[in-house]
Amino acid sequence: MVDKTPLTRAVDHFADRLRAAPQSRLQRGAAAEALALARELALWTQRLEEPGTEPREMPDAGMFAAADQITVAGHDLALVLEDEKEVAEALQLVEEAQKRAGV
């Protein structure tokens, strides 16, 4: 069995940091970075769950929804990943996005 806990913890940590961030930080790019990550994770999930179908893009629900969007996308992806290498790759994406977001 693949341990997906590090991925879900990293996603939750990033989301918590976004929720605690001041509006000015969200406006300066943290929310946009989170949305980009959420979209990337959601597309990855779609490719695994529905191969061959046209991908759907996660909508921009506003800067205050970005934390929820990465939480949902990250946890959805964690449910479908099946090997340690993929979990490590997803974890790296989350950690890099959080650094770029500055939260």
Side-chain angles (χ1 to χ4, degrees):
M1 175 163 258
V2 177
D3 182 12
K4 302 168 189 180
T5 306
L7 174 58
T8 57
R9 283 186 181 157
V11 166
D12 291 344
H13 178 72
F14 187 8
D16 288 344
R17 300 291 298 162
L18 286 168
R19 288 183 188 104
Q23 183 174 346
S24 60
R25 173 75 45 97
L26 297 175
Q27 290 172 321
R28 285 193 311 263
E33 189 63 49
L35 176 61
L37 174 65
R39 286 177 169 167
E40 186 172 357
L41 299 179
L43 288 174
W44 188 352
T45 303
Q46 289 176 46
R47 286 191 302 268
L48 292 173
E49 289 186 318
E50 303 169 2
T53 62
E54 188 169 329
R56 298 169 309 278
E57 184 174 80
M58 181 176 282
D60 182 346
M63 69 179 155
F64 297 114
D68 294 331
Q69 289 179 296
I70 63 166
T71 300
V72 169
H75 283 258
D76 283 352
L77 180 61
L79 288 172
V80 298
L81 292 179
E82 295 183 354
D83 72 39
E84 295 288 339
K85 184 179 176 187
E86 289 178 323
V87 172
E89 183 180 341
L91 179 59
Q92 183 175 357
L93 288 175
V94 172
E95 290 171 345
E96 290 171 357
Q98 183 173 351
K99 284 179 189 171
R100 288 190 303 271
V103 292

